[in-house]
Amino acid sequence: WSAGELTGDNQLHISESSPALHYGQQGFEGLKAYRTKDGSIQLFRPDQNAARLQNTARRLCMAEVPTEMFIDAVKQVVKANEDFVPPYGTGATLYLRPLLIGVGDVIGVKPADEYIFTVFAMPVGSYFKGGLAPSKFVISRDYDRAAPLGTGGAKVGGNYAASLQAEVGAKA
């Protein structure tokens, strides 16, 4: 891994034949930075997010991002965006999305030879607007979001893409 750098460029420039695009060789995490009562900023167990991304990387035959590198990258992004961490008590947070993708010129089902690890941030409102309350759910047995012995234990986009049709149907 290179040392990396902070950038304001939110565009990834990758080959159109990158394995992330054709073979789903990509994983991601999601965590939040919270402002505390005294105004400081806290992360909740970023080491656990690093471990889960490493598990995803192993499952997809990707290069693992070392825990120290993961946490350092997340902290750098938070520090660079500390003005966007909402005030304590609002329920809002700075959402962080670490992303690991297989890139390069690969046509053929095989692991990538190179990878991009990036972290981006955005302020978000409270996940439970108006507080925690009962929700209506639709249970569908017509779809599998993550098949047994598949990538269900890994945080990959395909698991979420598989849920979209059921979500659209439930909302309809």
Side-chain angles (χ1 to χ4, degrees):
W1 292 103
S2 69
E5 63 183 275
L6 283 170
T7 178
D9 182 3
N10 69 345
Q11 303 297 307
L12 294 177
H13 306 277
I14 63 173
S15 169
E16 61 190 351
S17 63
S18 290
L21 301 174
H22 297 273
Y23 309 113
Q25 199 183 28
Q26 55 86 8
F28 64 94
E29 276 299 312
L31 64 158
K32 296 177 180 179
Y34 300 86
R35 193 156 310 263
T36 62
K37 209 176 219 180
D38 68 5
S40 63
I41 299 171
Q42 298 289 317
L43 294 166
F44 181 69
R45 301 184 327 176
D47 59 318
Q48 296 300 304
N49 292 95
R52 188 165 61 175
L53 186 62
Q54 290 162 355
N55 178 63
T56 295
R58 281 190 298 276
R59 180 66 182 87
L60 298 180
C61 300
M62 299 173 77
E64 292 181 39
V65 177
T67 301
E68 251 182 53
M69 181 181 163
F70 180 98
I71 293 173
D72 181 59
V74 166
K75 285 182 175 180
Q76 283 188 52
V77 170
V78 170
K79 186 169 176 54
N81 291 280
E82 64 186 330
D83 291 345
F84 299 102
V85 180
Y88 173 78
T90 62
T93 60
L94 183 69
Y95 182 74
L96 304 158
R97 173 54 61 91
L99 175 67
L100 177 63
I101 60 173
V103 296
D105 294 317
V106 177
I107 289 295
V109 183
K110 73 177 195 78
D113 294 324
E114 49 187 303
Y115 298 89
I116 291 176
F117 169 62
T118 186
V119 180
F120 66 90
M122 70 185 93
V124 295
S126 174
Y127 192 76
F128 297 103
K129 294 170 183 68
L132 191 57
S135 300
K136 293 181 181 181
F137 288 93
V138 173
I139 297 173
S140 171
R141 303 208 189 286
D142 297 330
Y143 307 99
D144 289 320
R145 178 176 175 260
L149 305 178
T151 57
K155 195 161 175 81
V156 300
N159 291 346
Y160 291 82
S163 71
L164 295 176
Q165 191 173 30
E167 179 185 357
V168 168
K171 284 182 179 176

